[in-house]
Amino acid sequence: MTQDVEMKEQPAPSNSVTSTGPSVLQHLKEIASLVETGAYARETRRIIRAVRLTIALRRKLKASVVSSFLNFALGPGSEVSSYLPKDDEHDMEVDTATSATQAPIKHSVPELEMYCYLLVLIFLIDQKSYNEAKACASAGIARLKNLNRRTLDVLASRLYFYYSLSYELTGDLAEIRGNLLALHRIATLRHDELGQETLLNLLLRNYLHYNLYDQAEKLRSKAPRFEAHSNQQFCRYLFYLGKIRTIQLEYTDAKESLLQAARKAPVAALGFRVQCTKWAVIVRLLLGEIPERTVFMQKGMEKALRPYFELTNAVRIGDLELFRTVAEKFSSTFSSDRTNNLIVRLRHNVIRTGLRNISISYSRISLADVAKKLRLDSPNPIADAESIVAKAIRDGAIDATLDHTNGWMVSKETGDIYSTNEPQMAFNSRIVFCINMHNEAVKALRYPPNSHKEKESAEKRRERQQQEQELAKHIAEEDDDEF
């Protein structure tokens, strides 16, 4: 009996909490020391690493662990801890016991305070406590306005992002537009380049969320030049720029921006690359191009791009009836992607593609048969077919003549395309694309600071090489963040 009683008393609930809690808490303490070291040494690379480690820990965070960390970093009764939800009584007892055994250490480094705001904000958003997240974000932004330190730029950009996200999740994105504009002005005056890029993207997203494309373009054209200090922010900027250009009928520039955004995006950012691909497919169809089948067969994108694959197939065939069927079948998908207006524009391209196929297949065909093959459902299909054929001939889409008296469309014989300048133009466009990609790759090269130019010993050389390897690893992993 005594052995049974002892076996029952051995597993205590506090052991299970301390076995999981202190491990995450210890990681957070190490991150706090990393933030402090970066602040004192003025190395933003360490703060970037601290943020990346925090993102990796976000799924393991609990209210009790975050509360214990705040007591350690800022002392008990700090303003940040007031936004945390109250946890179970047992967890609170464990927290008070652990905090009582450890003497609270108060830090006066602003970077650590902003990091605590960021940590609590991420935790509240993950817990879907959006109202508390809004209050925490607003308090953090108000505190941040009084601080002007370059080591805070990384933390400030993340705070801006989650500040906008918390309001977007509650549907109150329009409320903070004025505040975002004021923050962008402050970041510009303080030469906070990363903050300028982040806030410009947030403002563009704010305008595009409410379909204010003209205002978004005015802001983009008057804002300081985008220098692309962050690959993630540059990808977002290219995506928003591509959407603006698409609405403004500048399809060539839109296609270049969207394809560049999809190419530069990290592999882990699957959702972002899917959105870029959807818009790029629509733009290419509006340009009269047919995307390759491999575009829709990319790993992890097959299901999301299925509606656009069927739409591309309808445009490629030039079947207006099939185009209507696909548009009605996936109308909910196109509405959620906000591409409905672009789908409506594609109707003209479908008709033109069908007409091009007819002109290639027939040397002479009546306008009545053209209307029947295009499946025009207008009251006077023959007159509509004649106007469509005339416009296609004028625009150079087909090489044919129109016989109005007999009601015929007479196609001309197709000549040798290699006797024209089209192959040279296509070859030149590919060369320009490769040169631009090479120039962008050269501009994107990053190097460690040149602090080792002096003569160094073998031990210092080994330390420098180890630091360079860590830096290269951090740069490689940095592209997988934020998305």
Side-chain angles (χ1 to χ4, degrees), residues 369-385:
D369 291 338
V370 171
K372 188 182 298 184
K373 289 184 177 296
L374 292 177
R375 299 184 184 182
L376 300 177
D377 55 355
S378 58
N380 192 357
I382 297 178
D384 289 346

Side-chain angles (χ1 to χ4, degrees), residues 25-26 28-30 32-33 36 40 66-78 98-109 112-113 116:
L25 183 60
Q26 188 64 32
L28 290 176
K29 290 180 180 179
E30 294 174 359
S33 64
E36 277 193 312
Y40 287 127
V66 177
S67 178
S68 299
F69 173 71
L70 294 180
N71 290 337
F72 163 78
L74 303 178
S78 61
T98 55
S99 61
T101 57
Q102 298 177 352
I105 305 174
K106 295 184 179 180
H107 300 270
S108 58
V109 182
L112 189 57
E113 182 184 357
C116 292

Side-chain angles (χ1 to χ4, degrees), residues 228-404:
H229 291 84
S230 170
N231 181 61
Q232 296 85 0
Q233 298 301 331
F234 189 46
C235 290
R236 290 192 178 102
Y237 175 77
L238 290 173
F239 176 59
Y240 298 144
L241 179 61
K243 293 177 73 172
I244 294 172
R245 292 285 184 258
T246 303
I247 298 300
Q248 294 179 339
L249 307 179
E250 299 176 8
Y251 297 135
T252 304
D253 296 339
K255 171 192 168 185
E256 183 180 352
S257 298
L258 291 169
L259 291 179
Q260 190 177 1
R263 189 176 66 249
K264 284 180 171 291
V267 179
L270 182 62
F272 180 81
R273 291 192 293 117
V274 167
Q275 288 296 322
C276 291
T277 307
K278 287 178 179 179
W279 278 76
V281 166
I282 296 292
V283 170
R284 292 184 67 181
L285 291 175
L286 288 169
L287 281 170
E289 303 175 5
I290 302 298
E292 299 80 6
R293 193 182 186 90
T294 54
V295 173
F296 306 96
M297 299 302 162
Q298 299 180 59
K299 185 178 180 181
M301 296 188 185
E302 297 91 343
K303 185 177 180 181
L305 296 178
R306 184 69 188 178
Y308 295 88
F309 174 72
E310 297 190 15
L311 187 71
T312 302
N313 190 41
V315 176
R316 180 181 61 84
I317 298 172
D319 191 339
L320 198 58
E321 188 64 29
L322 179 60
F323 175 77
R324 291 196 198 99
T325 304
V326 173
E328 292 175 1
K329 180 181 177 182
F330 298 105
S331 60
S332 59
T333 303
F334 297 143
S335 298
S336 61
D337 293 339
R338 295 191 173 191
T339 54
N340 258 340
N341 295 334
L342 304 178
I343 303 299
V344 174
R345 296 182 190 178
L346 276 176
R347 182 180 181 275
H348 179 69
N349 292 62
V350 176
I351 295 174
R352 178 171 290 189
T353 303
L355 187 60
R356 188 183 299 116
N357 294 336
I358 292 172
S359 67
I360 294 172
S361 303
Y362 297 91
S363 60
R364 187 178 68 181
I365 186 172
S366 65
L367 295 176
D369 291 338
V370 171
K372 188 182 298 184
K373 289 184 177 296
L374 292 177
R375 299 184 184 182
L376 300 177
D377 55 355
S378 58
N380 192 357
I382 297 178
D384 289 346
E386 184 176 1
S387 64
I388 290 171
V389 171
K391 189 176 187 304
I393 293 173
R394 187 192 66 184
D395 295 343
I398 59 175
D399 192 7
T401 56
L402 189 62
D403 191 344
H404 179 71

